[in-house]
């Protein structure tokens, strides 16, 4: 550096005073020194880098362009030397800035890589396994028990006709027993009006007519009623029907079957009692209550402190039903029962509202995935 002259000789130059902090000294050296110091500290982020770059080489306000702009204020004989020193400084600064740019870029790539990194040592995520609906769980358990007792599983249409849903089950037309099973009619004008079945009992008719006696079947399935829906009443629900027609079948067989079944289902010895009632398709008819398996009959909220749970309608198959299905009531007798699956699920799992079974809400349904 031989030429330190220009600013000392022209200290009043507006550029000179702007370019050196104290308004003295050589502007090129000043800019270079300031840059080296700042750049030497390094930049920790892109914004810091951009600020540094703008400050020195920014086209509008950069200190380096300002050096060149100042040239025209110099005496012409100094311009050449000043210009070449300014060029050298510019080259150094630009090179240094390019290096910093590469550094910033590298650091960003590294940061991105780390953010996206896969930690292969983390435990894997288990895929979510689906599960059975609580009513399906109950249905399958009941099916297993009856299959072991020699029953087969039958199925029937949900869109039934009046003949199978009522008439052949010994509900005469206009009989008041029909009122307790109001339903949704699909075609009232059909020869036998079409309706959504109100119970699974029509499967008794279909199976017995088709297969004849002896017969031992259960028929689980969905049924419909014209109900006002609330926490304990649904318009769509599920039942399981059972029908046994053999020689010499009596109410004692029905009672024994229930005791077997409830004991197997609830996993503890369960007594059964009959309460006489009326259903057109049985004679005699009975509501079946089981000794509450949750409190062993001592009384608890589930049995409303009575010690008994009413779980099914049942009876000895009415001779008119056997006859309607082509079976001789003098030769064969039978028993039948029907039970609500949703109610059993509600008792078993203690949830507050039947409608939860139809909502399809995962938060509710996923609680049963470990069952069955
Ligand atoms: N089907 C009847 C109902 O839904 C229940 C029922 C009662 C079924 C007695 C039967 C039975 O098989 O014998 O209310």
């Amino acid at each position: 550096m031989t030429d330190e002259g220009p600013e000392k000789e022209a200290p009043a130059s507006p550029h000179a005073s702007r370019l050196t902090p104290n308004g003295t000294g050589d502007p090129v050296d000043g800019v270079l020194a300031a840059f080296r110091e700042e750049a030497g500290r390094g930049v920790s982020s892109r914004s810091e880098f951009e600020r540094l770059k703008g400050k020195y080489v920014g086209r509008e306000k950069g200190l380096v362009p300002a050096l060149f702009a100042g040239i025209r204020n110099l005496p012409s004989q100094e311009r050449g030397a000043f210009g070449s020193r300014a060029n050298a400084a510019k080259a150094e600064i630009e090179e240094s800035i390019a290096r910093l740019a590469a550094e910033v870029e590298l650091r960003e790539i590294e940061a991105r890589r780390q953010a996206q990194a896969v930690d292969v040592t983390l435990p894997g995520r288990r895929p979510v396994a689906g599960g059975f609906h609580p009513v399906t769980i109950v249905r399958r358990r009941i099916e297993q028990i009856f299959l072991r007792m020699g029953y087969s599983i039958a199925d029937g249409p949900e869109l039934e006709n009046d003949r199978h849903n009522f008439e052949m089950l010994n509900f005469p037309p206009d009989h008041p027993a029909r009122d307790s099973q109001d339903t949704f009619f699909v075609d009232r004008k059909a020869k036998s009006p079409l309706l959504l079945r109100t119970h699974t009992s029509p499967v008794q008719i279909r199976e017995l007519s088709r297969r004849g006696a002896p017969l031992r079947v259960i028929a689980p399935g969905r049924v419909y009623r014209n109900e006002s829906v609330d926490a304990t009443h649904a318009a769509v629900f599920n039942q399981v029907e059972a029908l046994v027609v053999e020689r010499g079948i009596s109410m004692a067989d029905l009672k024994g079957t229930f005791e077997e079944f409830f004991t197997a289902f609830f996993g503890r010895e369960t007594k059964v009692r009959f309460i006489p009632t009326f259903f057109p398709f049985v004679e005699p008819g009975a509501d079946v209550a089981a000794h509450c398996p949750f409190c062993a009959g001592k009384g608890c909220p589930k049995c409303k402190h009575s010690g008994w749970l009413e779980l099914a309608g049942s009876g000895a198959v009415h001779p008119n039903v056997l006859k309607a299905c082509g079976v001789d009531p003098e030769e064969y007798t039978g028993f039948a029962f029907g039970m609500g699956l949703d109610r059993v699920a509600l008792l078993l799992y203690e949830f507050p509202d039947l409608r939860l079974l139809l909502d399809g809400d995962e938060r509710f349904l996923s609680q049963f995935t470990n069952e069955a």
Side-chain angles (χ1 to χ4, degrees), residues 70-134:
I71 288 179
R72 63 186 143 80
N73 299 327
L74 293 172
S76 56
Q77 70 278 19
E78 291 172 12
R79 289 182 187 172
F82 184 90
S84 67
R85 288 174 54 246
N87 269 327
K90 181 181 176 212
E92 179 184 330
I93 290 174
E94 282 180 343
E95 195 190 302
S96 178
I97 282 181
R99 223 177 18 248
L100 287 173
E103 262 175 52
V104 167
E105 179 83 357
L106 262 181
R107 222 174 303 140
E108 283 179 348
I109 290 171
E110 177 62 14
R112 234 176 292 139
R113 202 186 61 78
Q114 286 194 2
Q116 293 167 358
V118 174
D119 182 349
V120 293
T121 66
L122 283 175
R125 276 185 217 136
R126 269 177 198 283
V128 182
F132 289 115
H133 189 279

Side-chain angles (χ1 to χ4, degrees), residues 181 199 201 204 225 239 241 279 281-282 313-315 336-338:
Q181 301 198 5
H199 50 178
S201 301
Q204 286 185 31
R225 301 258 172 111
Q239 292 185 333
E241 187 81 14
F279 299 101
F281 38 92
V282 283
S314 71
F337 66 84

